[in-house]
């Protein structure tokens, strides 16, 4: 492939004029952007730039939720999926249900060793287990000595792919009723594909269940917490909100496979697993071992949102299964329990500890409320059946919880008959926000930088809830997350920001993908069992989120918003807290050029420029995680204007302190 290096050739405006390109400044001079700092407009929502979390691409189990043992409770439909005989032939193991630990956790495994050689089973994790040299891992399990067995000792051993021990621990003294046992394992070496073996060291039988290997270090040290490197990447976005748990996963292929948040706020051992809808959604990326353990459940989502200072934004089933699948409908006379789920969720998040669900929150460790302000009704639903169900939710939610803003869907597509129909209907109702989705090529994002300039200024606001520029082919996986795609998103986001009066929230989607187990691309962050990196789109999100300012101000070229003239896109805000004017300019042209920026106020001192520029085909990777990433430099400014060179294919943020 021929790489086009970012060029520093500066084309004079006169030449551009000859080429028939509109010239934004004086003929012969650089394009001029006029920032109307004295005309602050709408506030930029504090929560404006958030993240969309869905358990797709092994984002939860195998990703952000750092449990190393897959199928830890033997509750997958194939109870021994991910489990194998470990070593030795002197014994057997079997799945059993008699005398299981609880009615919600109905299966366990009996390991029977004939002795004297060790005999046992092993778990292969999520395409292996990531372990770091010298790091501590908490091993735990529910166990009981099988009836009639002699006392036995259990060795838990971390092994590399050749079966060599990386670390081990020994547990003994098992009683004849179910109890939890635990210890700490340390790995002698770093390995991304380790496995966990359980051996009985002498003749006897042991019943085991809920076998867990969890890193001792989690994000913010939370018990049952999150994988710290991935969580930190998310925290570094300074997200204004966290939308969870999806996406299509909310809806389910059939209604009984929908995401039921109540199932996820039980004791860990009692959270019933559910097939992940991405298990077999795409046959070209089938993942037969993809289930939801709900170890990362609604309590953990709320806790994470709080830990990173983001608003929680849960989306619930509205009684319609995914319309790309069955489209199964809960009849209107049976919609009550779905609405009750929403009411109960508000109680779980905000209710007093004396209420049923407030008490559940407190029992899980958080007596204080989570201050839920948003709730989503349905994901990508469409048609009159959605409007009818949405109305029923709205009527009850507005009456009982006017303080909580309702988010409605607008279907899966950014335009078309269904989209127009939904907006027409929703304008007559009272959702606070309408969730629009757009997965489109980079050209669409460039063409739609002015999408919201003409939107009605009254009625529901917009939640740009799922978007990503799709360049290249699905089979390219991580190679689809190019700078070309990210730059077109940046151009589009200038349009979101310019219209911050009606676009109140925005999130890229999907968020996370396991390099060895993904179903969908592109994604914001890729990871393996130990490492993670942000794509160019990740850094675009980060740049906008960290520079969102407090109020929009117009930025004009020849009296017009800058929405693609000469390949330039721009938005501007003032940051009243920092006392700065912040101008974002995207240059999609394949050449560098100067722009003059008139700030409307004199700079009080030098500013900062934050620049992203690269070859459009460039991607980040584990080997080069910051190949496309922002760099920051001092921005000298004297007076109320500056001239700045914009590199080819670049996003530049200019932050200037003003009086
Ligand atoms: O982000 C991936 C999927 O795209 C989401 O689950 C769904 O809402 C959309 O179709």
């Amino acid at each position: 492939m021929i790489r086009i290096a970012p060029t520093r050739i500066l084309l004079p405006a006169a030449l551009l004029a000859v080429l028939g390109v509109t010239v934004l400044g004086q003929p012969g001079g650089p394009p001029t952007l006029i920032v109307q700092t004295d005309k602050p407009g709408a506030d930029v929502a504090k929560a404006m730039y958030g993240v969309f979390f869905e358990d797709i691409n092994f984002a939860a189990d195998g990703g952000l939720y750092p449990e190393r043992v897959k199928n830890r409770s033997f509750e997958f439909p194939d109870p021994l999926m991910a489990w194998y005989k470990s070593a030795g032939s002197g014994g057997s193991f079997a799945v059993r249900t008699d005398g299981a630990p609880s009615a919600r956790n109905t299966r366990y495994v009996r390991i029977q060793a004939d002795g004297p050689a060790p005999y046992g089973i092993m778990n292969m994790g999520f395409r292996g287990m990531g372990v770091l040299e010298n790091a501590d891992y908490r091993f735990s399990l529910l166990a009981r000595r099988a009836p009639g067995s002699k006392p036995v000792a259990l060795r838990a051993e971390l092994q590399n792919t050749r079966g060599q021990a990386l670390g081990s621990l020994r547990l003994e003294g098992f009683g004849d009723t179910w109890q939890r046992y635990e210890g700490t394992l340390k790995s002698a070496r770093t390995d991304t594909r380790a496995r966990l073996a359980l051996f009985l060291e002498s003749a006897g039988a042991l019943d085991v269940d809920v076998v867990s290997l969890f890193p001792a270090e989690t994000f913010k040290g939370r018990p049952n917490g999150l994988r710290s490197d991935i969580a930190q990447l998310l925290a570094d976005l300074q997200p204004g909100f966290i939308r969870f748990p999806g996406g299509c996963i909310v809806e389910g292929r059939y209604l009984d496979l929908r995401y039921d948040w109540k199932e996820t706020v039980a004791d860990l051992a009692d959270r019933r697993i559910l097939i992940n809808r991405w298990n077999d959604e795409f046959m070209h990326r089938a993942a037969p071992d993809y289930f939801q353990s709900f170890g990362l459940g609604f309590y953990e989502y709320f806790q994470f949102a709080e830990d990173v200072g983001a608003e929680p934004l849960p989306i619930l089933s509205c009684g319609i299964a995914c319309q790309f699948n069955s489209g199964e409908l809960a009849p209107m006379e049976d919609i009550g329990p779905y609405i009750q789920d929403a009411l109960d969720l508000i109680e779980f998040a905000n209710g007093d500890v004396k209420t049923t669900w407030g008490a559940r929150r407190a029992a899980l460790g958080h007596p204080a409320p989570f201050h839920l302000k948003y709730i989503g009704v349905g994901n990508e639903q469409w048609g009159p059946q959605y409007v009818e169900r949405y109305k029923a939710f709205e009527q009850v939610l507005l009456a009982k919880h006017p303080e909580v803003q309702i988010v409605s869907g607008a279907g899966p597509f950014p335009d078309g008959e269904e989209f127009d129909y939904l907006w027409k209907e929703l304008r007559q109702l009272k959702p606070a926000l309408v969730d629009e989705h757009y997965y489109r090529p980079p050209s669409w994002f460039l063409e739609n930088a002015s999408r919201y300039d003409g939107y009605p200024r009254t009625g529901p606001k917009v939640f740009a809830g799922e978007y990503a520029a799709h360049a290249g082919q699905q089979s390219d996986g991580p190679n689809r997350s190019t700078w070309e795609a990210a730059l077109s998103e940046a151009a589009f986001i200038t349009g979101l920001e310019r219209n911050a009066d009606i676009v109140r929230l925005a999130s890229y989607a999907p968020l996370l993908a396991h390099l060895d187990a993904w179903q969908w691309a592109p994604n914001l962050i890729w990871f393996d069992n130990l490492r993670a990196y942000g794509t160019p789109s990740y850094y675009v999100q980060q740049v906008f989120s960290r520079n969102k300012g407090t109020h929009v101000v117009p930025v004009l070229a020849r009296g017009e918003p800058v929405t693609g003239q000469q390949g330039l896109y721009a938005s501007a805000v003032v940051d009243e807290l920092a006392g700065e004017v912040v101008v974002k300019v995207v240059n999609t042209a394949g050449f560098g050029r100067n722009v003059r920026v008139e700030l409307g106020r004199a700079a009080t001192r030098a500013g900062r420029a934050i620049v992203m520029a690269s070859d459009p085909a460039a991607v980040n990777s584990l080997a080069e995680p910051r190949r496309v990433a922002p760099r920051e430099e001092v921005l000298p400014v004297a007076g109320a204007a500056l001239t700045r060179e914009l590199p080819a294919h670049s996003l530049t943020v200019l932050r200037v302190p003003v009086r």
Side-chain angles (χ1 to χ4, degrees):
M1 183 201 307
I2 300 170
R3 283 251 157 75
I4 309 157
T7 155
R8 290 174 61 88
I9 304 168
L10 302 183
L11 289 197
L15 174 55
L16 290 168
V18 170
L19 294 173
V21 179
T22 315
V23 176
L24 296 180
Q26 297 304 315
T32 300
L33 308 184
I34 297 180
V35 186
Q36 297 185 313
T37 308
D38 293 331
K39 290 193 182 159
D43 67 303
V44 181
K46 281 206 186 82
M48 174 81 170
Y49 299 105
V51 297
F52 160 97
F53 184 90
E54 174 164 19
D55 189 2
I56 182 173
N57 305 313
F58 285 71
D61 295 299
L64 187 58
Y65 184 63
E67 173 61 79
R68 299 305 201 248
V69 178
K70 185 166 68 192
N71 190 13
R72 65 185 170 192
S73 297
F74 309 102
E75 298 294 322
F76 281 19
D78 170 358
L80 288 176
M81 187 172 258
W83 290 96
Y84 298 86
K85 180 166 79 72
S86 179
S89 52
S92 60
F93 63 98
V95 177
R96 302 183 66 114
T97 54
D98 52 314
S102 82
R104 297 173 62 89
N105 181 5
T106 56
R107 299 197 196 113
Y108 62 93
V109 158
R110 177 164 297 168
I111 309 173
Q112 169 88 46
D114 302 337
Y119 177 84
I121 58 177
M122 67 180 169
N123 186 277
M124 306 304 271
F126 296 88
R127 315 295 197 267
M129 298 178 182
V131 287
L132 290 169
E133 183 176 339
N134 267 328
D136 286 343
Y137 296 89
R138 300 252 150 78
F139 170 78
S140 65
L141 80 171
L142 287 180
R144 69 174 180 191
R145 186 158 40 90
S149 166
K150 289 187 238 163
V152 285
L154 176 83
R155 180 155 49 93
E157 187 172 281
L158 267 176
Q159 300 180 341
N160 65 16
T161 43
R162 280 178 290 165
Q164 293 161 331
L166 299 170
S168 69
L169 65 79
R170 195 165 182 276
L171 295 172
E172 55 193 337
F174 298 102
D176 52 12
T177 55
W178 289 107
Q179 276 177 52
R180 192 175 145 87
Y181 298 84
E182 58 187 20
T184 299
L185 262 173
K186 218 183 240 312
S187 178
R189 273 180 296 282
T190 293
D191 201 316
T192 53
R193 296 198 191 273
R195 58 204 198 192
L196 178 72
L198 308 180
F199 295 111
L200 294 194
E201 294 197 316
S202 56
L206 189 71
D207 295 340
V208 300
D209 201 358
V210 198
V211 181
S212 171
L213 187 71
F214 215 85
E217 190 220 326
T218 58
F219 186 66
K220 303 248 180 213
R222 298 278 171 213
N224 191 46
L226 305 182
R227 188 173 137 176
S228 48
D229 60 333
I230 298 179
Q232 190 58 53
L233 276 171
L234 298 179
D236 290 346
L237 288 169
Q238 298 180 1
F241 65 89
I242 297 182
R243 170 188 171 146
F244 56 87
C248 290
I249 214 162
V250 168
E251 308 163 30
R253 186 173 292 243
Y254 298 97
L255 282 173
D256 61 355
L257 298 178
R258 73 186 185 279
Y259 194 105
D260 179 352
W261 70 267
K262 288 176 177 165
E263 289 285 338
T264 76
V265 294
D267 281 348
L268 268 191
D270 287 343
R271 298 183 190 183
R272 278 208 188 102
I273 66 125
L274 185 68
I275 186 169
N276 188 301
R277 65 151 298 127
W278 302 105
N279 177 307
D280 52 3
E281 179 72 12
F282 297 137
M283 290 326 285
H284 61 288
R285 299 290 310 170
D289 57 340
Y290 201 2
F291 292 82
Q292 299 176 83
S293 75
F294 299 117
L296 171 53
F298 261 41
Y299 176 79
E300 289 76 19
Y301 285 124
F302 277 109
Q303 181 64 73
F304 182 50
E306 184 176 271
D307 281 344
V308 295
E311 300 291 349
L313 200 171
I315 307 282
L316 299 185
S317 163
C318 64
I320 308 181
C322 180
Q323 287 164 277
F324 289 114
N325 302 143
S326 72
E328 185 187 355
L329 287 173
M332 282 310 290
E333 60 272 24
D334 295 341
I335 205 72
Y338 292 82
I339 299 176
Q340 191 58 46
D341 276 352
L343 295 175
D344 291 343
L345 180 61
I346 296 171
E347 185 176 291
F348 175 76
N350 296 349
D352 188 90
V353 295
K354 293 198 191 77
T355 61
T356 308
W357 289 102
R360 178 73 66 89
R361 180 189 73 239
L364 287 165
H366 202 287
F370 280 121
H371 306 293
L372 177 68
K373 297 192 185 103
Y374 304 96
I375 195 160
V377 177
N379 175 46
E380 281 184 344
Q381 269 64 57
W382 64 82
Q385 55 277 58
Y386 175 59
V387 174
E388 198 182 8
R389 280 159 188 76
Y390 171 79
K391 268 185 198 162
F393 271 78
E394 184 183 278
Q395 203 180 11
V396 178
L397 288 174
L398 282 186
K400 299 205 170 177
H401 289 288
E403 76 285 4
V404 176
Q405 300 189 42
I406 308 174
V407 178
S408 77
F413 306 117
D415 43 37
E417 223 172 279
E418 294 295 356
F419 178 86
D420 294 341
Y421 163 76
L422 281 179
W423 260 109
K424 182 170 77 54
E425 293 292 323
L426 291 165
R427 284 198 183 284
Q428 292 163 45
L429 297 166
K430 292 198 172 55
L433 294 139
V434 175
D435 175 16
E436 297 191 353
H437 294 181
Y438 11 84
Y439 297 101
R440 289 288 185 265
S443 56
W444 184 94
F445 283 84
L446 298 178
E447 284 154 18
N448 278 270
S450 52
R451 174 182 176 91
Y452 295 108
D453 295 358
Y455 257 50
R457 275 16 224 184
T458 54
K461 310 283 185 200
V462 173
F463 170 24
E466 291 185 31
Y467 66 88
H470 282 205
Q473 298 300 312
Q474 174 71 19
S475 56
D476 290 349
N479 289 335
R480 298 192 82 190
S481 305
T482 61
W483 175 233
E484 180 200 12
L487 189 62
S488 73
E489 290 153 9
F492 180 74
I493 300 170
T494 62
L496 302 184
E497 196 166 271
R498 182 172 49 256
N499 291 285
D501 58 328
I502 52 164
V503 183
R504 301 300 284 171
L505 305 174
S507 45
Y508 180 100
L511 188 60
L512 298 173
H514 194 303
L515 283 156
D516 299 329
W518 56 273
Q519 291 77 51
W520 178 295
N523 299 285
L524 203 63
I525 293 170
W526 289 87
F527 58 88
D528 71 2
N529 281 340
L530 282 178
R531 296 161 296 173
Y533 68 88
T535 59
S537 295
Y538 168 88
Y539 288 106
V540 164
Q541 294 290 318
Q542 193 188 71
V543 164
F544 276 90
S545 177
R546 290 181 174 198
N547 294 285
K548 65 177 175 293
T550 52
H551 294 84
V552 187
V553 289
V555 49
L556 305 174
R558 295 171 78 95
E560 298 290 332
V562 189
T563 58
Q565 305 94 310
Q566 287 181 224
L568 290 178
Y569 301 78
S571 60
V573 294
V574 287
D575 185 334
E576 288 189 344
L577 306 171
E580 293 180 345
V581 180
V582 186
V583 186
K584 288 126 190 165
V585 195
V586 169
N587 176 24
T588 56
F591 47 83
R593 57 184 15 166
N594 282 332
V595 286
R596 179 178 159 79
V597 183
E598 295 187 3
L599 298 162
R601 297 217 196 150
T604 51
R605 55 181 192 279
R608 286 182 291 144
I610 298 141
V611 184
M612 291 182 71
S614 200
D615 165 0
V619 294
N620 291 338
S621 61
L622 288 176
E624 278 187 290
R626 289 185 59 94
R627 179 169 172 210
V628 187
R631 62 186 160 75
E632 192 169 314
E633 55 195 61
V634 173
L635 176 68
V637 202
L642 61 94
T643 297
R644 171 84 194 173
E645 183 197 333
L646 306 177
H649 308 296
S650 64
L651 162 64
T652 303
V653 179
L654 307 168
R655 292 197 68 112
V656 183
V658 291
R659 261 190 293 279

